[in-house]
Amino acid sequence: MPNTNHNLLFKAIILALCVISFVHVFLFPLYDINAGRGTVRTYMDFEQSLCTNNIKKRRIWRLGRCPQYGIVTVMQGGRLGNQMWEYASVWALARRTGLEPYVPRCIRIKLDQIFEQLSVPMFDEIGQCQVEISNFVKSLEAWNYTNQSIILQKYSFQHELVLTWVQDIVQEFTIKRKLVEKSQQILHIAIKSSTAKNHTFVGVHVRRTDYIGYLMWKYNAKPADMRFYMSAMNFFERKYRNVVFIVVSDDPVWCWKKFGIKKNIYVTSKHHKNSPALDLAILASCNHSIYDYGTFGQWGAILAGGDTIFHKISHNTSGNFSPMLKNWHTI
């Protein structure tokens, strides 16, 4: 009789273990999307894996609707200019595919400080939903059907799709009123000693500091020299009247030394460093643009509209999408 009881107990334990294994394997699959970042079960976990730094998990107070088909999202990488491209790439791919777009909070938190009402939601709305990592692909080219999801890698640059709807993305990136008002104040300061009227403002973005080493490493190229900037300025002075150049740079001291001889140049951040948000608002408030390289200068020019002169350092830079923007030129 005792042996019978032991056999029944043993069978019960085996049955319990089988049930537990079934639940974990089939009902709650465990995925590790990023080694070292923990197990991904839900979209709230998944959001953590998309960010370069850990973000605080939010408590889900009510269950929301889970995606019926696939989604489009992106991994965080780079600073403001790169993250604007990452956001815009998700926005454009969702429009192209019909999939639902979502961006992680680590990107939205930064962009929400600058722009009025971004339309792409965060993962809060689907945080409790289960993730099927096996259904994710990394590009539009690898995407085959609507139940598949797309996860773009960091530094994604879906320029052809984004610029197809360039006016719409400009509206999407509507800068907050307080930043626009501050940028307008700076433009007024730049012309306070001028007696002319109807000025034409040309934003000039000069990228130096960390980018000089990057240019040599990535492209084996030297930074833009004064010939580029002066040639670009001459282009605008020949084409428009009462031109004022508003220089935004991560090295304003260098710019003041180089450009200070021209009376119609105003270098921002000479005395107090501006935030990237204000620098972007200044560039976007101008009529036309000059920039040397980098995603920040690209977005300043896109948001400003008008004519743009850029420094082409390789076929992989702005030159490969300038044909889509007929008012963009290189020297």
Side-chain angles (χ1 to χ4, degrees):
M1 191 72 178
N3 288 336
T4 302
N5 291 336
H6 287 157
N7 289 336
L8 291 174
L9 179 61
F10 178 77
K11 291 179 179 179
I13 293 173
I14 295 297
L15 179 62
L17 291 174
C18 290
V19 170
I20 292 171
S21 299
F22 175 86
V23 169
H24 277 287
V25 172
F26 294 101
L27 298 185
F28 299 104
L30 304 182
Y31 300 102
D32 186 7
I33 191 173
N34 218 349
R37 296 299 297 273
T39 301
V40 175
R41 296 183 179 90
T42 66
Y43 278 108
M44 194 61 68
D45 301 319
F46 180 60
E47 181 183 45
Q48 293 279 342
S49 70
L50 300 177
C51 297
T52 55
N53 298 313
N54 286 331
I55 54 176
K56 186 177 180 180
K57 287 189 177 182
R58 291 184 177 179
R59 184 187 297 273
I60 301 172
W61 294 102
R62 61 179 181 178
L63 296 180
R65 177 192 61 83
C66 294
Q68 184 177 1
Y69 302 108
I71 72 165
V72 181
T73 191
V74 67
M75 301 182 74
Q76 179 195 28
R79 295 185 289 189
L80 177 57
N82 290 113
Q83 292 185 37
M84 288 177 69
W85 274 116
E86 289 160 1
Y87 177 97
S89 296
V90 170
W91 172 89
L93 270 181
R95 179 177 281 200
R96 165 66 175 79
T97 61
L99 300 176
E100 295 184 31
Y102 293 93
V103 292
R105 272 178 290 148
C106 49
I107 293 178
R108 269 292 299 269
I109 287 172
K110 175 176 287 189
L111 300 184
D112 281 339
Q113 297 172 359
I114 304 171
F115 305 108
E116 288 286 2
Q117 291 184 331
L118 297 172
S119 64
V120 177
M122 294 177 282
F123 284 96
D124 300 48
E125 298 184 11
I126 58 171
Q128 83 288 347
C129 301
Q130 295 292 308
V131 181
E132 293 290 344
I133 299 299
S134 59
N135 286 343
F136 277 84
V137 295
K138 295 181 179 180
S139 67
L140 177 62
E141 291 72 25
W143 180 73
N144 293 320
Y145 59 96
T146 55
N147 283 332
Q148 271 189 330
S149 295
I150 301 174
I151 175 172
L152 296 172
Q153 300 302 291
K154 57 186 178 181
Y155 309 112
S156 289
F157 197 76
Q158 303 291 318
H159 61 271
E160 291 186 2
L161 277 181
V162 172
L163 297 179
T164 298
W165 301 294
V166 63
Q167 293 305 318
D168 291 340
I169 197 61
V170 168
Q171 291 298 315
E172 181 78 8
F173 287 138
T174 298
I175 297 176
K176 288 183 178 293
R177 179 179 296 180
K178 63 179 181 179
L179 289 170
V180 174
E181 291 174 349
K182 181 63 176 177
S183 67
Q184 291 295 325
Q185 292 173 9
I186 291 173
L187 296 188
H188 285 299
I189 292 173
I191 60 172
K192 66 179 181 180
S193 61
S194 174
T195 58
K197 295 182 179 181
N198 299 322
H199 294 86
T200 299
F201 293 99
V202 178
V204 183
H205 186 243
V206 179
R207 179 78 179 269
R208 293 185 58 79
T209 61
D210 62 321
Y211 215 81
I212 295 176
Y214 175 77
L215 284 172
M216 183 59 67
W217 170 77
K218 180 73 173 179
Y219 302 107
N220 194 29
K222 295 180 180 179
D225 56 23
M226 287 302 298
R227 288 177 297 177
F228 163 73
Y229 300 110
M230 299 309 292
S231 296
M233 290 178 183
N234 290 337
F235 169 87
F236 285 106
E237 288 177 325
R238 290 193 302 267
K239 189 170 182 178
Y240 299 102
R241 299 180 61 185
N242 302 325
V243 177
V244 179
F245 298 101
I246 309 297
V247 178
V248 170
S249 177
D250 56 354
D251 193 351
V253 174
W254 183 89
C255 295
W256 179 249
K257 291 179 179 178
K258 297 293 184 179
F259 302 134
I261 56 173
K262 287 182 67 70
K263 294 182 179 180
N264 61 337
I265 288 184
Y266 181 80
V267 180
T268 65
S269 299
K270 283 190 300 182
H271 306 295
H272 304 285
K273 187 176 181 179
N274 293 336
S275 66
L278 180 55
D279 279 343
L280 183 67
I282 292 169
L283 293 173
S285 295
C286 293
N287 306 110
H288 308 284
S289 306
I290 298 169
Y291 81 93
D292 40 26
Y293 18 70
T295 56
F296 189 88
Q298 288 171 358
W299 278 114
I302 291 170
L303 298 183
D307 291 325
T308 295
I309 301 295
F310 64 93
H311 179 58
K312 186 176 180 180
I313 55 178
S314 85
H315 293 293
N316 296 321
T317 56
S318 300
N320 63 357
F321 66 74
S322 60
M324 304 182 68
L325 301 170
K326 300 304 181 182
N327 56 340
W328 283 44
H329 316 280
T330 189
I331 293 180

